[in-house]
């Protein structure tokens, strides 16, 4: 029974971590290299994550400098950034790509808040799915006669506590992201 609960806790931790990564890709007021995490570059015929092909620096809050390790790939990197959903057109000086992010409009901030809420809900759904699977595992233990009804009831109570802890964590991350997005 403890094994089922521990496994559920680990999986819920992973769901919360995935939600945290999703939030990092949502741009708030300042530019952040994590926004480039999901960008894939066609590098010599294979799709490669941009993070593996370049280094990132942020000289100013709204600017990210992308310097490819292989200077021959600068055109491919530029194309991948331009085609992404970041909404920037990188300036290429032959060695470095300069990505200037525009100020967020009120309308764009509201869109990002909707996106953050959607990603938070996806995270909560993932946590609830893990809870459901663990609950089924506990019920199976009872059905097989390995544990008693009281033990399963106690296990479900612990499982509910674990679930609440993880959903509260996601809600807290959402609150922080919304505050960050509303800051001018």
């Amino acid at each position: 029974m403890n094994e089922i609960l521990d496994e559920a806790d680990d999986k819920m931790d992973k769901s919360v971590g995935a939600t945290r990564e999703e939030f990092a890709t949502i741009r708030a007021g300042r530019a952040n290299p994590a926004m480039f995490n999901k960008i894939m570059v066609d590098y010599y015929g294979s799709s490669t994550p941009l993070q593996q092909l370049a280094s990132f620096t942020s000289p100013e809050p709204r600017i990210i400098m992308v310097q490819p390790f292989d200077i021959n790939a600068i055109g491919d990197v530029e194309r991948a950034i331009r085609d992404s959903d970041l909404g920037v057109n990188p300036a290429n000086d032959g060695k470095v790509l300069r990505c200037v992010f525009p100020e967020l409009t009120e309308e764009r901030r509201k869109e990002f808040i909707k996106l953050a809420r959607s990603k938070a809900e996806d995270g909560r759904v993932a946590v609830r799915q893990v809870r459901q699977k663990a609950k089924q595992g506990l019920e199976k233990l009872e059905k097989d006669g390995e544990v008693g009804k009281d033990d399963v009831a106690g296990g479900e109570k612990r499982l509910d506590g674990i679930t609440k802890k993880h959903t509260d964590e996601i809600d807290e991350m959402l609150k922080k992201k919304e505050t960050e997005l509303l800051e001018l």
Side-chain angles (χ1 to χ4, degrees):
M1 192 163 82
N2 285 335
E3 197 175 290
I4 290 173
L5 294 174
D6 290 343
E7 184 181 335
D9 195 19
D10 286 345
K11 287 182 179 178
M12 287 180 190
D13 281 340
K14 288 178 182 164
S15 295
V16 170
T19 304
R20 185 175 289 114
E21 286 176 22
E22 290 290 331
F23 279 168
T25 63
I26 299 173
R27 177 166 98 83
R30 64 185 320 114
N32 177 351
M35 295 163 36
F36 294 86
N37 283 352
K38 297 228 184 312
I39 297 178
M40 301 299 277
V41 179
D42 184 28
Y43 183 63
Y44 292 110
S46 67
S47 193
T48 310
L50 178 56
Q51 302 288 47
Q52 294 177 10
L53 298 175
S55 64
F56 301 86
T57 54
S58 182
E60 295 175 36
R62 288 188 14 240
I63 297 175
I64 295 280
M65 307 274 278
V66 181
Q67 184 167 14
F69 302 127
D70 177 2
I71 207 69
N72 297 327
I74 198 162
D76 296 329
V77 171
E78 180 181 9
R79 196 172 313 106
I81 293 171
R82 191 176 318 111
D83 295 346
S84 73
D85 60 355
L86 289 178
V88 293
N89 192 8
N92 183 346
D93 72 359
K95 292 181 181 172
V96 175
L97 297 171
R98 181 183 308 267
C99 300
V100 180
F101 290 86
E103 273 298 327
L104 289 178
T105 62
E106 189 64 32
E107 185 180 316
R108 195 78 173 120
R109 288 176 194 274
K110 286 179 181 171
E111 284 176 31
F112 282 145
I113 287 173
K114 277 185 191 169
L115 180 64
R117 287 180 180 159
S118 162
K119 292 192 184 300
E121 184 56 32
D122 291 347
R124 288 190 290 264
V125 166
V127 167
R128 287 193 295 263
Q129 286 173 340
V130 170
R131 178 192 176 281
Q132 187 63 36
K133 267 208 170 12
K135 191 173 183 321
Q136 288 169 352
L138 291 173
E139 289 168 355
K140 186 177 182 323
L141 286 178
E142 181 186 0
K143 195 176 101 183
D144 294 347
E146 293 179 37
V147 294
K149 203 175 192 102
D150 292 343
D151 293 334
V152 171
E156 286 180 3
K157 198 170 213 138
R158 275 183 47 205
L159 181 62
D160 289 344
I162 292 169
T163 304
K164 181 171 177 16
K165 178 184 86 169
H166 288 89
T167 54
D168 288 350
E169 199 173 331
I170 290 173
D171 291 342
E172 191 58 39
M173 288 188 305
L174 175 62
K175 224 182 277 177
K176 282 181 185 170
K177 195 62 174 182
E178 284 179 345
T179 304
E180 195 179 308
L181 284 164
L182 290 172
E183 268 176 14
L184 289 177

